Amino acid sequence: MRATIRLGRIGGVRVGMHWSVLVIVLLLVGVLGLGQWPEIYPGYGTAVYLLAGVVAALLFVSSLLAHELAHALVATRLGVEVDGITLWLLGGVASLRGEARTPRADLWIAAVGPATSVLAGGFFTLIAWLVAVAEAPVLVWGV
């Protein structure tokens, strides 16, 4: 999977995305912003639902990037060269140029991505709880 849109570098790792990411963003905006949320959280205008959908889609893509970036940065730290990260329709890929030197290093490289996703899930659960406790609009909590 090759990146068709270059996003730059993060921590020295080249980051790009395949055009198919735009498909998942549009699907999320459409399904959430125009489909689900108007039914679940009634009373807002169409523009608000669309903005909420865009924010949710961007947070989703950012979480994919964080997952792949964790793999890439740990690989770099452990001496494995990284070609870059490509985000695509079904997730992302951190392209490594070689193999880890030890099984332990390989385990760290493999485990850090899911660990990052679990931490992100916990962080966003905490944020959702704080938003609910603060009695913010329910659509904000939903996002």
Side-chain angles (χ1 to χ4, degrees):
M1 183 66 56
R2 294 196 184 268
T4 53
I5 302 168
R6 298 196 189 278
L7 301 175
R9 290 185 174 272
I10 300 174
V13 176
R14 190 172 33 86
V15 178
M17 78 180 177
H18 188 262
W19 64 266
S20 62
V21 171
L22 300 175
V23 172
I24 196 67
V25 166
L26 291 174
L27 281 172
L28 286 171
V29 170
V31 168
L32 295 174
L34 297 176
Q36 295 294 309
W37 287 340
E39 291 180 24
I40 298 171
Y41 311 115
Y44 301 94
T46 303
V48 173
Y49 291 119
L50 285 174
L51 178 61
V54 168
V55 170
L58 291 176
L59 287 172
F60 175 74
V61 172
S62 296
S63 71
L64 293 176
L65 176 59
H67 177 106
E68 294 304 327
L69 191 58
H71 286 303
L73 292 177
V74 168
T76 299
R77 175 118 170 100
L78 295 175
V80 178
E81 285 188 58
V82 177
D83 273 338
I85 294 171
T86 302
L87 302 176
W88 64 294
L89 178 65
L90 299 177
V93 166
S95 300
L96 308 180
R97 282 193 184 170
E99 295 291 324
R101 293 185 183 127
T102 66
R104 174 173 278 164
D106 203 22
L107 177 63
W108 277 106
I109 293 167
V112 71
T116 299
S117 295
V118 167
L119 287 173
F123 173 76
F124 286 114
T125 300
L126 175 63
I127 295 297
W129 179 78
L130 290 172
V131 166
V133 167
E135 297 182 8
V138 292
L139 181 58
V140 174
W141 179 84
V143 171

